[in-house]
Amino acid sequence: MELLFLGTGAATAFPLPFCSCSVCTAARKLRGKNLRRRSSLLVDRRLLIDLGPDSATAAGELGADLSQVRYLLQTHAHSDHFDPGHLITRHPDYAGENRSPLSIAASGKTLEAMGRRLKGEDPSAELFDPDFQKKLGLSLFPIQDGQALCLGEYRVTALDSGHDPQEDALIFRVEQGRSAFLYGTDLLEISPKGWELLRERPLDFAILDQTYGHGVNSGGHLDAGQTASIAGRMRREGILKPGGQVYATHLSHEGNKNHEEAERDAAANGYRIAFDGLCLRTED
């Protein structure tokens, strides 16, 4: 599998638009890996995790064609992870051509939230109406914590993220052949059931939330210390393959450092820091 990071920033992106703290100031000066769009991941150029507000621009700059995406895994419908304006362009009124059919997997509550946000974009939008789905070329697949679903050649297992119970926010393990990875953005904690499911199959990659730096946490997400703790536990319990890697994503300016410094800190704790445009490939 090929994993392409379209974005690795938190809700505010990085740097924060109206902030001149030392971290944001350094990001503007250093640029490169320090500039982060809102988090999104493209797998094999045909499976997208989170249709975020920056995903289309990022894909274009990285040479990826989102019109060929067949599957969308939506962790939740917060505005930094789901942009209804992108999805509504599948409507015939926007004169799109040669798009692929799109299967969307998300929790039932997330699908409902997506429907409400789509209706705010277009009052005629009815996500659960079969005729509307046909116009947009959509198929919906509600999935819940602990459930597995096959989408084409991919097997997707949903795990509760603890991030937003009102939307039953999820993280996903994605498998194809002998390859497997975990996408754990907006993660508050892995439940006991989640750890049990993760022990079933070793991962090539685990991608974990690191919204906050060490000792700075406003809630709802992981900080660097928690990310390091989960990464260590995954290694101890054999959840990662030999040579398997952990990468942090969804970084904000709150307590985090510039990319090079954050990467040094992460390496000391056995994991890496992802950056926009990073491309990972499994060996199988």
Side-chain angles (χ1 to χ4, degrees), residues 6-7 37-41 48-61 64 66 81 83 86:
L6 301 181
R37 295 182 173 93
R38 271 69 66 92
S39 292
S40 182
L41 186 76
L48 179 66
I49 305 182
D50 285 347
L51 182 61
D54 302 327
S55 55
T57 302
E61 290 191 3
L66 295 188
H81 292 267
D83 187 333
H86 287 335

Side-chain angles (χ1 to χ4, degrees), residues 115-265:
R116 291 192 296 271
R117 296 200 59 212
L118 271 171
K119 201 165 186 64
E121 189 76 19
D122 180 347
S124 69
E126 296 289 349
L127 183 59
F128 295 96
D129 178 72
D131 290 336
F132 183 79
Q133 292 174 18
K134 184 176 181 180
K135 286 180 180 179
L136 271 65
L138 304 177
S139 299
L140 305 184
F141 293 87
I143 188 171
Q144 60 186 3
D145 177 31
Q147 183 180 355
L149 174 69
C150 288
L151 295 172
E153 66 268 42
Y154 301 100
R155 187 174 190 268
V156 177
T157 303
L159 289 76
D160 179 27
S161 71
H163 173 66
D164 185 353
Q166 291 186 339
E167 290 193 11
D168 287 343
L170 299 171
I171 61 177
F172 298 104
R173 180 178 65 193
V174 180
E175 306 166 47
Q176 182 199 51
R178 294 181 292 177
S179 299
F181 72 91
L182 175 72
Y183 190 73
T185 189
D186 287 53
L187 176 62
L188 179 60
E189 62 179 354
I190 298 176
S191 68
K193 180 169 72 172
W195 282 109
E196 184 178 343
L197 287 169
L198 289 175
R199 293 187 196 100
E200 293 178 354
R201 176 167 184 174
L203 303 170
D204 295 272
F205 299 109
I207 301 163
L208 300 175
D209 185 280
Q210 185 177 303
T211 301
Y212 305 111
H214 283 277
V216 179
N217 195 321
S218 301
H221 300 84
L222 300 181
D223 60 40
Q226 293 169 314
T227 304
S229 177
I230 292 175
R233 180 173 175 180
M234 286 181 165
R235 294 195 185 281
R236 290 193 304 273
E237 298 191 9
I239 290 171
L240 293 168
K241 293 179 180 179
Q245 296 291 324
V246 177
Y247 282 84
T249 192
H250 202 270
L251 282 78
S252 80
H253 73 145
E254 296 174 78
N256 282 305
K257 302 177 181 179
N258 68 56
H259 180 83
E260 184 177 347
E261 293 175 341
E263 179 78 341
R264 283 199 297 265
D265 289 350

